[in-house]
Amino acid sequence: MTRKIIGIFGGTFDPIHQGHLACARYVLTHCQLDSIRLMPCHLPPHRATPGVSSQQRAKMVELAIASEPNMQLETLELNRQTPSYTVDSLVALKQQYPTASLAFIIGMDSLQYFTKWHNWQHILQLAHLIVCRRPGYACDEGDAPILLNQYAGNLQQLQQQPAGVILLLDNPDFMQSATFIRQQLATHPHIRTMLPPAVMQYIQQQRLYGCR
Ligand code: ATP
């Protein structure tokens, strides 16, 4: 039986960039998902980028996906006001969508330290993991080999099993990184092309990341 699969794409999205959107589009098409919910995490004030609030990060996600019919903003973690673990968010989403399978989307950099995530085994009981390749992060480093050895599966297995499959995608390279964008945006105008135009406009309006 093929189940309805909802993709969950968590991140700080500080800011959301073309790499995130390209990953989400690739996953939607390649894995035939019904939809992807982009879920910005809550950041405590001492970890947040000064001058950029959770609401602003969420607004940038909203602007970036405005013309993407199968992507929605998921505000679950922002409404909590405490840092939330992915596992807790997936429990809540499972209650909200009891008949669907969940697939949590991450980049290879995140897979490399996935066993440090709180209750990571429970995450794999609740959801699949869809992993996008990312330039600079190989699948034979960190936690990736051990996890792939134990949980790797193909698309058909992901579609048929309720959870617990790690699907490694063969996506093209998406070079963008939020850290790099935050560091370079104010001084290097060509970096703007790494952002969806509506997001860049908002960054200028709100004077985020030193832009004006
Ligand atoms: P930073 O550079 O500050 O680490 P980021 O660009 O990774 O930020 P996040 O919001 O932390 O942005 O990323 C959310 C998720 O998207 C993570 O799982 C990350 O691995 C993945 N991701 C982000 N950019 C890419 C990319 N260019 N290619 C593949 N995966 C990516």
Side-chain angles (χ1 to χ4, degrees):
M1 185 189 79
T2 302
R3 293 157 186 274
K4 175 176 167 159
I5 305 173
I6 300 173
I8 311 293
F9 194 10
T12 48
F13 300 119
D14 185 20
I16 187 167
H17 52 65
Q18 297 285 15
H20 294 127
L21 278 184
C23 282
R25 289 190 195 116
Y26 188 91
V27 171
L28 266 177
T29 319
H30 182 80
C31 304
Q32 298 145 34
L33 300 193
D34 289 86
S35 61
I36 293 184
R37 306 188 69 74
L38 288 90
M39 181 170 73
C41 65
H42 172 79
L43 283 180
H46 64 277
R47 282 192 46 214
T49 303
V52 183
S53 68
S54 295
Q55 285 65 33
Q56 286 169 320
R57 287 185 293 114
K59 182 68 190 174
M60 289 189 276
V61 171
E62 206 168 56
L63 289 168
I65 62 175
S67 53
E68 305 281 348
N70 299 315
M71 297 185 204
Q72 293 98 34
L73 172 68
E74 173 57 67
T75 56
L76 184 81
E77 296 193 350
L78 295 179
N79 294 335
R80 281 199 175 144
Q81 295 318 312
T82 50
S84 42
Y85 291 116
T86 298
V87 68
D88 299 335
S89 305
L90 292 174
V91 167
L93 288 163
K94 199 75 204 161
Q95 282 168 0
Q96 205 176 325
Y97 305 104
T99 57
S101 291
L102 302 178
F104 196 73
I105 301 158
I106 57 175
M108 180 51 79
D109 54 313
S110 302
L111 188 71
Q112 287 187 356
Y113 66 93
F114 184 71
T115 66
K116 316 291 178 299
W117 289 27
H118 181 64
N119 256 335
W120 66 270
Q121 288 101 333
H122 193 194
I123 294 179
L124 281 165
Q125 286 162 2
L126 293 162
H128 298 297
L129 274 190
I130 296 179
V131 183
C132 290
R133 291 183 193 277
R134 187 168 190 183
Y137 300 92
C139 61
D140 59 359
E141 288 168 7
D143 299 340
I146 252 176
L147 288 166
L148 289 169
N149 191 34
Q150 196 176 344
Y151 297 97
N154 58 30
L155 182 57
Q156 204 183 5
Q157 290 165 317
L158 182 127
Q159 286 166 335
Q160 288 173 352
Q161 293 174 26
V165 171
I166 300 184
L167 177 70
L168 178 55
L169 296 179
D170 199 13
N171 54 289
D173 282 354
F174 307 128
M175 300 303 298
Q176 301 82 355
S177 127
T179 303
F180 180 78
I181 291 170
R182 285 196 303 275
Q183 289 166 350
Q184 304 284 325
L185 192 59
T187 46
H188 295 76
H190 66 279
I191 300 295
R192 295 173 184 193
T193 57
M194 294 188 175
L195 296 161
V199 172
M200 187 59 227
Q201 218 173 6
Y202 181 78
I203 287 173
Q204 283 180 302
Q205 250 171 32
Q206 302 280 312
R207 305 193 164 196
L208 307 180
Y209 311 113
C211 291
R212 39 191 62 244

